């Protein structure tokens, strides 16, 4: 069954646990849901192209890993979750956009320690989201900020206030992304992974607990290996970024986006050949 908003023509079905319901239908998330009170939960965002998910299995694998890292049991198996996500996309007739899903530890009287009998809560929704083609073509400006986040950035948790503050700083400085710096080392963007290119080699922060191992980051590495481009996990500074031949970010929504300016420093001569080669191969995949 597909529910249609007669005024907008937009489908409005969401998923709560094992129920598909209209978004405007009477329902609620309990005020003592631990996701609401503690950010005690995990999430994923998956790209949908022409009605098909992109690397959904990889997202679900990371989803399971995140849950394990915070000692939380998921309410459904990977196979069951995949089926529900696929059904949601079909019910909303989503062609190009994203599907967001999260699980919180559940509802329990407010106390910091894990509750004994709380049941995890799964929610999901879809959203139309056009690809930012102009940014792919022309590149973007970014700014740098101090990385004030916690020390488990490898977990895709609901605790995103540090990322929000960084993104807001970028917005206030007419930039598309904030590149975060911890102890003079570039880690990643507020919602993306970050790379520089020097002498035909791609450099990016190691996939440790200081960054999220992005699904698109995995794809970038696969493409680089296919093209014979060295993909090197190595720490580097802002000074190294300023000297780079090229720079770019990657994420589920940003895909592969060239970075042409960092703060007041222009990088290279616009989008360069390495970024263009990665973009071309990524386009073939989708």
């Amino acid at each position: 069954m597909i529910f249609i908003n007669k005024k907008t023509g937009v489908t409005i079905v969401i998923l709560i646990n094992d129920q598909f319901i209209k978004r405007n239908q009477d329902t609620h998330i309990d005020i003592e849901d631990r996701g609401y009170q503690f950010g005690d939960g995990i999430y994923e965002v998956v790209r949908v192209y022409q009605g098909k998910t992109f690397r959904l299995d990889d997202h679900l694998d990371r989803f399971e890993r995140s849950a394990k890292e915070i000692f939380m049991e998921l309410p459904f198996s990977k196979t069951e979750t995949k089926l529900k996500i696929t059904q949601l996309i079909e019910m909303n007739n989503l062609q190009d956009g994203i599907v967001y899903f999260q699980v919180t530890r559940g509802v329990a009287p407010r106390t910091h320690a894990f509750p004994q009998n709380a049941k995890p809560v799964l929610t999901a929704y879809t959203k139309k989201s056009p690809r930012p083609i102009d940014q792919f073509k022309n590149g973007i400006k970014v700014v740098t900020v101090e990385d004030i986040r916690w020390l488990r950035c490898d977990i895709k948790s609901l605790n995103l206030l540090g990322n929000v503050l960084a993104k807001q700083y970028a917005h206030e400085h007419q930039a598309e992304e904030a590149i975060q710096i911890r102890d003079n080392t570039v880690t990643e963007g507020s919602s993306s992974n970050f790379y520089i290119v020097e002498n035909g080699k791609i450099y990016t922060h190691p996939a440790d607990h200081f960054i999220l191992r992005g699904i698109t980051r995995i794809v970038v590495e696969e493409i680089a290996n296919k093209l014979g481009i060295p993909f090197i996990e190595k720490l580097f500074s802002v000074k190294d970024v300023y000297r780079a031949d090229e720079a770019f970010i990657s994420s589920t929504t940003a895909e592969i986006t060239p970075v042409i300016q960092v703060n007041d420093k222009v990088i290279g001569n616009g989008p360069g050949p390495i970024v263009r080669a990665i973009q071309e191969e990524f386009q073939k995949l989708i």
Side-chain angles (χ1 to χ4, degrees):
M1 180 182 296
I2 297 179
F3 298 107
I4 306 291
N5 184 314
K6 294 181 179 179
K7 292 182 179 180
T8 65
V10 177
T11 53
I12 45 172
V13 180
I14 63 174
L15 172 65
I16 299 182
N17 288 326
D18 57 356
Q19 293 186 315
F20 296 96
I21 62 175
K22 296 180 182 180
R23 184 168 182 173
N24 61 351
Q25 184 175 323
D26 287 340
T27 187
H28 74 281
I29 299 298
D30 195 284
I31 194 170
E32 288 193 303
D33 186 293
R34 290 177 63 88
Y36 177 71
Q37 295 194 331
F38 293 107
D40 188 0
I42 56 172
Y43 78 101
E44 287 289 334
V45 177
V46 180
R47 244 309 183 172
V48 177
Y49 299 106
Q50 299 179 9
K52 303 295 183 181
T53 56
F54 183 71
R55 305 293 287 245
L56 177 57
D57 285 332
D58 289 337
H59 282 279
L60 290 172
D61 287 342
R62 186 172 64 182
F63 197 56
E64 289 186 339
R65 177 189 181 277
S66 293
K68 182 179 179 180
E69 291 297 312
I70 66 170
F71 310 103
M72 187 178 73
E73 291 190 13
L74 295 174
F76 304 103
S77 69
K78 177 181 175 181
T79 299
E80 290 171 325
T81 303
K82 184 176 182 178
L83 177 60
K84 293 179 187 301
I85 295 303
T86 302
Q87 288 176 321
L88 182 66
I89 291 168
E90 292 174 351
M91 293 176 75
N92 281 325
N93 193 29
L94 180 68
Q95 293 302 303
D96 294 290
I98 60 101
V99 55
Y100 173 95
F101 56 97
Q102 69 173 41
V103 169
T104 70
R105 203 176 300 274
V107 178
R110 190 181 189 280
T111 182
H112 284 68
F114 295 165
Q116 292 295 318
N117 300 311
K119 295 181 179 180
V121 177
L122 167 69
T123 56
Y125 65 87
T126 62
K127 179 182 178 181
K128 291 183 178 180
S129 180
R131 300 173 66 201
I133 301 299
D134 287 345
Q135 294 182 6
F136 298 162
K137 179 180 179 180
N138 301 316
I140 61 172
K141 171 189 174 181
V142 304
V143 290
T144 57
V145 297
E146 180 185 0
D147 193 341
I148 62 172
R149 301 170 301 164
W150 71 323
L151 298 179
R152 291 304 308 273
C153 298
D154 56 306
I155 300 172
K156 199 168 178 68
S157 81
L158 301 180
N159 295 274
L160 292 174
L161 189 56
N163 306 66
V164 168
L165 293 173
K167 187 72 81 173
Q168 178 62 24
Y169 180 86
H171 176 73
E172 292 173 352
H173 289 79
Q174 292 76 52
E176 294 297 329
E177 177 61 302
I179 304 304
Q180 303 183 92
I181 315 296
R182 190 190 296 267
D183 297 328
N184 200 39
T185 295
V186 176
T187 53
E188 60 183 344
S190 67
S191 59
S192 64
N193 291 123
F194 181 72
Y195 316 76
I196 59 173
V197 177
E198 190 172 291
N199 297 323
K201 302 175 182 179
I202 298 173
Y203 293 89
T204 194
H205 194 286
D208 56 20
H209 62 283
F210 288 120
I211 73 162
L212 180 71
R213 188 169 185 245
I215 303 304
T216 310
R217 182 187 189 276
I218 295 172
V219 178
V220 169
E221 184 175 6
E222 291 174 353
I223 292 173
N225 291 335
K226 175 184 177 181
L227 297 178
I229 301 170
F231 184 93
I232 301 169
E233 295 185 318
K234 181 181 179 181
L235 302 183
F236 54 86
S237 68
V238 177
K239 290 183 179 180
D240 295 319
V241 175
Y242 290 158
R243 293 192 294 262
D245 300 321
E246 304 175 46
F248 63 100
I249 62 170
S250 74
S251 75
T252 293
T253 54
E255 298 181 12
I256 316 297
T257 299
V259 172
I260 60 172
Q261 183 176 335
V262 179
N263 297 325
D264 294 326
K265 175 68 175 179
V266 175
I267 305 299
N269 296 307
I274 297 296
V275 177
R276 290 303 191 211
I278 299 293
Q279 286 181 320
E280 183 177 344
E281 290 299 318
F282 189 86
Q283 179 64 34
K284 292 177 183 178
L285 291 175
I286 65 173

